[in-house]
Amino acid sequence: MTPTLSTREQAKALNAIKARAHNGIIVGDVDVSGWGVRKLPDLSQYRVTGCFDCGCNRLESLVGSPHAVDRDFHCDSNPGLSLVGSPDYVGGSFYCESCKLTTLVGAPRRIIGSLEYEDNSVYGNEGEAGAKAFRCLGRSRS
């Protein structure tokens, strides 16, 4: 079972994250993992200079994600997740293992590290077409 934060705890944590923002940039890592949410707080106007972790929730999509993450992006262990709303740019690796994905449509357009999507069901032409929709400068492992 996914641990959850109360609405009050989420608001306090989100305020602390946004307090680190200056000119659309959040300095350091952002961790919203294990909040038990179905939707991300709206951080889409921000760039994160560290890692972004929204794993171990109940997310339906990545809408609300920062538009760019300079290091790794973790959205693993979100069964039923769609990659729609992913950042445009990930400077490290993109981890979306164990999400019951059937397509890579919506994945970041540019990944400098690797795309890690083990323990999903991305097969055939749809997965291949999704894989061609973005540029992974590292390696892809399924």
Side-chain angles (χ1 to χ4, degrees):
M1 185 167 174
T2 302
T4 59
L5 290 180
S6 70
T7 303
R8 185 176 184 186
E9 292 170 319
Q10 289 176 26
K12 185 177 178 181
L14 183 58
N15 285 338
I17 290 167
K18 287 185 175 181
R20 298 187 346 239
H22 183 67
N23 292 331
I25 298 171
I26 299 174
V27 177
D29 297 339
V30 173
D31 187 357
V32 296
S33 65
W35 285 19
V37 295
R38 292 188 186 281
K39 295 182 181 182
L40 287 172
D42 188 7
L43 299 172
S44 60
Q45 296 183 19
Y46 296 97
R47 177 181 135 226
V48 173
T49 64
C51 296
F52 184 85
D53 190 346
C54 60
C56 300
N57 280 296
R58 295 175 290 196
L59 296 175
E60 297 167 355
S61 76
L62 294 174
V63 171
S65 292
H67 67 85
V69 176
D70 290 351
R71 292 183 54 206
D72 295 338
F73 185 98
H74 297 265
C75 59
D76 46 295
S77 301
N78 277 294
L81 179 71
S82 161
L83 298 182
V84 170
S86 294
D88 291 326
Y89 170 83
V90 175
S93 294
F94 185 84
Y95 297 91
C96 56
E97 302 101 338
S98 303
C99 292
K100 298 185 180 177
L101 296 173
T102 57
T103 180
L104 296 176
V105 170
R109 293 186 182 275
R110 188 163 187 217
I111 301 170
I112 301 301
S114 60
L115 170 65
E116 305 289 339
Y117 61 102
E118 293 90 356
D119 197 24
N120 283 296
S121 299
V122 178
Y123 299 111
N125 293 335
E126 186 175 4
E128 291 168 13
K132 291 177 185 171
F134 61 92
R135 184 175 179 203
C136 184
L137 299 177
R139 63 187 188 286
S140 294
R141 292 191 301 197
S142 61

